[in-house]
Amino acid sequence: AKAKEAEDKAKEAEKQKRKEEEQKLKELYKTLNEKYKKEFPDGTPLVCACEKGRVEDVEGMIRGARAAGMDVTAMVSEVGTHSGGYSSTPLMMAALYEHSTIIEILLQCNADTATTNNNGINALHLAALNNNTSTTTVQLLLNNMKLEDINHEATYGNTPLDRCDYNNSSIKQQLIDLIRQKGGKRESEL
């Protein structure tokens, strides 16, 4: 009977510990959101954390949202605004600034790679145009995108492959080759 009583106490203590940890995560989420709303009044907190490359804050927001019972997949796929107030998703900002660790975190949470902003641009459009240090971001996106999204035409008509034409970095040709290998086409080829 004493063993059973001790076991019940241990289970109760573990349950209480989990509850306290969950409460701390919820508080962390709330604190981070308030911090970002003050720092970036025109931006959506998670989008801004991704834009600025703040891995720990992104992880904290996701853990806190999960603890609060929020739909994390919806949260990481949602169109919000970056620090300048323009339409964007967390994935788009991480792709734009080559924050590959954050992209991996978002993809693990099933971020929707097909989501576009108000100009019809997806994360691959931004990475194709702006990435200039590594092909990692483009590779991560391509490995998690459907062909129709790789060849998505923005409102003004360009596909991600078309956007590579305006990338003046030393990795431009590598980006073009990667997108081509996954079936990427220019607008004129569709």
Side-chain angles (χ1 to χ4, degrees), residues 68-174:
M70 294 172 67
D71 181 345
V72 172
T73 298
M75 183 178 98
V76 300
S77 301
E78 181 178 42
V79 176
T81 51
H82 62 59
S83 64
Y86 293 100
S87 171
S88 189
T89 67
L91 190 62
M92 286 178 198
M93 285 296 95
L96 175 65
Y97 293 106
E98 297 185 78
H99 299 310
S100 57
T101 301
I102 292 175
I103 291 171
E104 288 173 342
I105 293 165
L106 297 172
L107 291 173
Q108 286 168 4
C109 295
N110 299 312
D112 186 354
T113 57
T115 304
T116 60
N117 68 9
N118 57 350
N119 292 316
I121 293 172
N122 65 30
L124 186 58
H125 283 91
L126 292 170
L129 174 63
N130 296 289
N131 287 190
N132 57 29
T133 62
S134 165
T135 61
T136 304
T137 296
V138 169
Q139 286 174 320
L140 284 168
L141 293 171
L142 288 170
N143 289 342
N144 289 279
M145 294 182 94
K146 295 176 186 156
L147 184 59
E148 65 199 51
D149 301 319
I150 292 169
N151 288 318
H152 178 75
E153 290 181 64
T155 306
Y156 50 82
N158 286 355
T159 67
L161 186 60
D162 290 316
R163 299 282 292 220
C164 285
D165 290 340
Y166 304 100
N167 182 323
N168 295 319
S169 75
S170 61
I171 63 167
K172 174 180 178 172
Q173 191 56 51
Q174 289 172 276

